[in-house]
Amino acid sequence: MAGLVELSVQEGGIARIAIRNPPVNALGHSVRAGLIEAFDLAAADDEVRAIVLLAEGRTFPAGADIKEFGATARAPSLSDVCTRIEDCEKPVIAAIHGTALGGGLELALAAHYRIAAPDALVGLPEVTLGLLPGAGGTQRLPRLVGAAAALEMMLIGRPIDAAEASRLGLVERVADGRLRPAAFAYAQDLLASGAGPRRARDCTDGLRDPQGFQAAVAEHRARHLHSPAPAPMKIIECVEVAQLLPFDGGLAFEASAFEDCLQSEQSQALRHLFFAERRAAQVPETATAEGQGNERVAIAGGGELAASLAVACLDGGLSVILAAPSEAGLTETRDHVQQIYMQLMAQLRLPAAKQAERMARLSGGIGLSALMQADYVIAPLPHDARAARTALIPVANALPAETPLGIIAPGQAIGPLVVGCDTPGQIVGLRVAGDPHLQRLFEVVVGPASSAATVASTFKLLKHLGRVAVRQSGGRRSLADRVSAACLHAADFMLVEGATPYQVDAALVDYGFALGPYRRVDREGLEYAGTGAGVLGEALIALGWPGEATGRGYYSYDPKGGAAHEDEDTLLVLEELRREHEITPRAFTAAEIVQRCTAAMANAGAQMIEAGSALRPSDIDVAMVHGAGFPRWRGGPMMAADQAGLLKVQNTLTALTDEDPDFWSPSPLFAELIKNGQHFADLN
Ligand code: 3H9
């Protein structure tokens, strides 16, 4: 059993089968083979009367081993294992703790009885990987809990707690105290009452209301009709089949649907991101430095940004010290924190009891002395470079040299900013788009002097706060902003030639972006990214166009309804400028727009990797998905380029080089990868 699955027989003839595959007990090939062997042995042992299936370490299995997907499948499959468990002639009790997810929960569903620790979570998050539960979950769960609850769990993918699982009939018992003794006591109770195996395949509880079952299927089908990934529709079909076909037929249907999902580009992209998000935290500095733990964070300065940072840290369970320059500033920032919590409560995103507990961890002080108690200090700085340095130097120089300092300095490179600080090693930059308490992505800007310990502590802090952290070095802007700027720049060229901002936006929204690039510029008042895209681009910039600063945008907003309309003035200006520069406009198809914009984004990403600003292609993908609305199911611009084919992307770029060689020339990385038959993924 290769040590990953252990079998022992306890007092009273109860076998204990324990999975031990840290960190999350993923159900890789050796675990699956070990489980078959253990169940065969336990079944053949006359002494064994019942079996408790549990896992060592922090969790019941969190699913199939995602790393194995993509490689040739090796028998026994997880579905085979589940069938082996369900077929067992002796009662099998699954003892669930931690997070029983995906294949982990399917394993538990194949057991005959389930008992859960009170703080356990169970769920089927396969859909978030573009997959469906492929080890019998789509057939067993509806039989146990009905179509409505089963579809909700599988289509949303969010885990539910033990109390909810018990209410649904998904677990029979919630342990009242320690799980293991409770699980063995449950086994004894079952034996004493003469209870035998109770198989989900034979259960009809969830099928009792055939019309309700069909109604739930129809409702979800209508809701997911336009889903870009195949998984949601396939999940719905599998659940429908659970009502229509005998169990084994349903299993075969599920297996084929799972295979289709596994092969889909969407699932490949989503699985790529699962690992990319975790890989992003592996940076050279964490390999050499431990980084200190953080319990108390101080926010230097005041205002709305400071308040939002404070909420992000309070929500992560930390104590927060607001170190404001004055009593009035402190009161104002504290009021902002209150307001954010009131808003979150009004939106039902935070129960009132939790708000009081969080506010109790907030304290404040005036001046620099308030910073001294903290293990990590965050300082939002003014936008103006000179003002930023004036604000930074006293804070940095007042802190003990070992206290890490994360500065938020939009639009500024960290190198010049820290000149004049006594220990620049203690400083890193943080870039976050929007309100930090709402954003998942933080880019960590490593300066030329930033120490490994500071960087490691920063990654530790962000992990603690549940954030996705991506490393970048140098540069005045975030990776996400730089790649987005390339998209906009590519689009500017098309405006010159005849496209409209609305066509560009529509094409990219159709591709999957949350917001088109021009709408985003308008909405977020982003600094205009174009750096002179041809004559028209320059003319547009000369017009001070667009952006909040000038009060002009690509869209005019109806002040009452807030709806965006195409701005006729924008179109007139475009026409006039094209006439002036004797450009004959031509039409662009949506596919062409997407092809050029995505090629430009991949090229910008490749250039940043070459320059060493980004560590790896997958970091660019993570930054773009979390920081710029790139469609998650497309995996990010580098993954999308891999899927489109690097040669094809390189050809798109090369064909446009005459337009502006500086912008369109493909990064040499393309030629190098193509020559070696590699993809961006090979650099991850
Ligand atoms: C499935 O089950 C399909 C079946 O229905 C059908 C099969 C036929 N596999 O997230 P963390 C690694 S699909 C491989 O940082 P946390 C992870 O990469 C699966 N590796 O910890 C990381 O590695 P590293 C359905 C996995 O405490 C380390 O474990 N299940 C897997 O923040 C720690 O992970 C899911 O989608 C895996 N399944 O969160 C659940 N899971 O240290 C996926 C984790 O090298 N997992 N790793 O970077 C999770 O949601 C979270 O990991 C979990 C813990 C909540 C469990």
Side-chain angles (χ1 to χ4, degrees):
M1 283 178 246
L4 299 182
V5 179
E6 284 165 13
L7 166 69
S8 58
V9 183
Q10 317 271 303
E11 225 172 281
I14 300 176
R16 172 185 187 278
I17 295 183
I19 302 169
R20 188 199 296 272
N21 185 24
V24 298
N25 286 311
L27 297 160
H29 174 256
S30 305
V31 176
R32 299 196 303 272
L35 281 168
I36 295 273
E37 194 183 336
F39 272 89
D40 283 349
L41 286 170
D45 186 341
D46 290 340
E47 208 189 310
V48 172
R49 299 164 62 218
I51 299 164
V52 172
L53 172 64
L54 52 83
E56 299 287 355
R58 62 195 235 210
T59 183
F60 200 79
D65 187 339
I66 306 168
K67 286 192 211 84
E68 285 185 359
F69 295 149
T72 314
R74 290 170 70 195
S77 71
L78 193 54
S79 197
D80 295 339
V81 175
C82 289
T83 302
R84 175 69 195 88
I85 293 174
E86 190 169 63
D87 285 349
C88 189
E89 295 296 338
K90 302 170 184 181
V92 181
I93 300 101
I96 302 169
H97 78 292
T99 42
L101 301 178
L105 178 57
E106 291 178 289
L107 206 63
L109 292 174
H112 306 137
Y113 303 91
R114 287 155 289 276
I115 177 167
D119 58 354
L121 294 172
V122 301
L124 293 169
E126 285 89 341
V127 72
T128 62
L129 299 168
L131 297 172
L132 50 84
T138 67
Q139 303 305 299
R140 291 191 179 93
L141 188 60
R143 282 174 163 78
L144 288 171
V145 304
L151 283 168
E152 197 96 335
M153 278 184 77
M154 291 188 243
L155 290 169
I156 298 177
R158 199 177 319 118
I160 57 173
D161 62 21
E164 173 72 359
S166 157
R167 196 186 62 73
L168 288 176
L170 207 163
V171 303
E172 283 73 19
R173 275 196 195 184
V174 178
D176 184 18
R178 286 175 52 225
L179 176 66
R180 298 224 173 132
F184 284 93
Y186 189 18
Q188 296 287 10
D189 291 352
L190 289 167
L191 290 175
S193 66
R198 214 189 42 175
R199 301 183 172 97
R201 63 187 297 152
D202 301 326
C203 177
T204 51
D205 291 358
L207 307 176
R208 260 193 223 128
D209 170 14
Q211 270 138 20
F213 196 105
Q214 281 154 20
V217 167
E219 188 195 321
H220 284 280
R221 180 167 278 144
R223 213 182 284 169
H224 290 273
L225 212 52
H226 302 294
S227 163
M233 270 318 214
K234 297 247 177 225
I235 287 173
I236 295 165
E237 283 169 18
C238 287
V239 170
E240 188 175 36
V241 155
Q243 190 193 32
L244 302 176
L245 291 188
F247 184 78
D248 288 337
L251 269 193
F253 188 91
E254 179 196 81
S256 144
F258 180 82
E259 200 50 39
D260 288 347
C261 289
L262 193 63
Q263 300 307 330
S264 70
E265 285 199 335
Q266 291 90 337
S267 175
Q268 286 168 22
L270 291 165
R271 284 181 272 136
H272 157 74
L273 274 174
F274 177 85
F275 290 113
E277 284 162 359
R278 286 154 180 83
R279 191 184 299 122
Q282 292 162 17
V283 297
E285 291 81 2
T286 52
T288 57
E290 180 60 26
Q292 65 187 48
N294 306 289
E295 281 168 21
R296 202 174 297 135
V297 172
I299 317 287
E304 289 181 21
L305 180 55
S308 176
L309 284 163
V311 169
C313 295
L314 291 169
D315 289 355
L318 303 176
S319 297
V320 175
I321 307 161
L322 292 174
S326 65
E327 194 65 55
L330 183 59
T331 308
E332 189 200 25
T333 311
R334 202 193 288 269
D335 287 349
H336 283 312
V337 173
Q338 275 284 12
Q339 278 163 16
I340 293 174
Y341 277 131
M342 300 305 270
Q343 237 169 27
L344 292 175
M345 285 191 298
Q347 295 161 350
L348 302 178
R349 291 162 74 175
L350 185 76
K354 288 204 168 159
Q355 185 247 359
E357 182 273 320
R358 287 179 200 186
M359 284 303 284
R361 280 187 272 112
L362 182 70
S363 61
I366 313 295
L368 298 176
S369 59
L371 301 172
M372 299 308 152
Q373 318 298 323
D375 349 272
Y376 197 104
V377 174
I378 304 178
L381 300 175
H383 285 221
D384 173 71
R386 190 189 294 245
R389 283 190 59 195
T390 311
L392 170 64
I393 291 172
V395 172
N397 292 353
L399 287 178
E402 65 282 0
T403 306
L405 170 61
I407 57 172
I408 299 191
Q412 292 169 57
I414 183 170
L417 210 55
V418 300
V419 173
C421 296
D422 292 344
T423 43
Q426 74 189 132
I427 305 174
V428 290
L430 298 172
R431 297 210 193 281
V432 53
D435 296 333
H437 73 282
L438 298 175
Q439 300 298 320
R440 245 193 111 202
L441 174 76
F442 278 65
E443 291 192 16
V444 178
V445 191
V446 178
S450 307
S451 75
T454 302
V455 176
S457 298
T458 305
F459 272 87
K460 214 169 200 174
L461 172 70
L462 292 171
K463 162 111 184 146
H464 188 95
L465 300 182
R467 289 334 198 243
V468 175
V470 170
R471 182 191 190 278
Q472 66 141 296
S473 56
R476 288 172 46 245
R477 291 192 291 168
S478 69
L479 299 177
D481 274 357
R482 284 185 260 169
V483 176
S484 301
C487 175
L488 202 55
H489 198 81
D492 280 351
F493 282 111
M494 289 184 272
L495 296 202
V496 175
E497 291 180 59
T500 73
Y502 319 109
Q503 286 165 351
V504 171
D505 278 5
L508 288 166
V509 167
D510 221 37
Y511 177 76
F513 269 87
L515 217 57
Y518 291 106
R519 186 78 185 274
R520 191 157 169 251
V521 169
D522 270 15
R523 175 80 63 90
E524 297 174 13
L526 294 180
E527 185 185 324
Y528 186 69
T531 44
V535 282
L536 182 56
E538 275 164 25
L540 292 176
I541 295 164
L543 278 173
W545 201 52
E548 280 186 347
T550 59
R552 271 207 71 116
Y554 292 96
Y555 294 82
S556 30
Y557 287 86
D558 170 358
K560 286 193 196 116
H565 303 283
E566 297 188 359
D567 181 2
E568 281 177 24
D569 284 353
T570 302
L571 296 173
L572 288 175
V573 171
L574 280 169
E575 275 173 29
E576 196 182 308
L577 287 169
R578 282 186 205 121
R579 247 195 325 271
E580 204 173 293
H581 293 280
E582 296 177 0
I583 293 162
T584 314
R586 72 164 186 96
F588 280 85
T589 64
E592 222 174 336
I593 292 171
V594 166
Q595 190 183 11
R596 287 192 185 195
C597 288
T598 49
M601 285 188 266
N603 200 28
Q607 283 161 352
M608 285 191 281
I609 291 154
E610 255 192 291
S613 320
L615 276 184
R616 43 175 100 86
S618 63
D619 283 5
I620 308 263
D621 287 339
V622 172
M624 283 303 289
V625 166
H626 289 283
F630 199 99
R632 189 175 174 84
W633 53 273
R634 293 210 187 255
M638 311 314 279
M639 177 70 181
D642 273 352
Q643 288 189 337
L646 293 190
L647 185 60
K648 192 171 157 212
V649 177
Q650 189 194 37
N651 288 345
T652 300
L653 294 165
T654 310
L656 292 162
T657 310
D658 283 349
E659 218 168 42
D660 178 351
D662 283 348
F663 180 72
W664 286 114
S665 294
S667 150
L669 210 49
F670 279 95
E672 201 180 308
L673 290 172
I674 293 165
K675 185 180 74 191
N676 297 323
Q678 287 182 308
H679 297 94
F680 284 124
D682 293 302
L683 303 179
N684 289 330

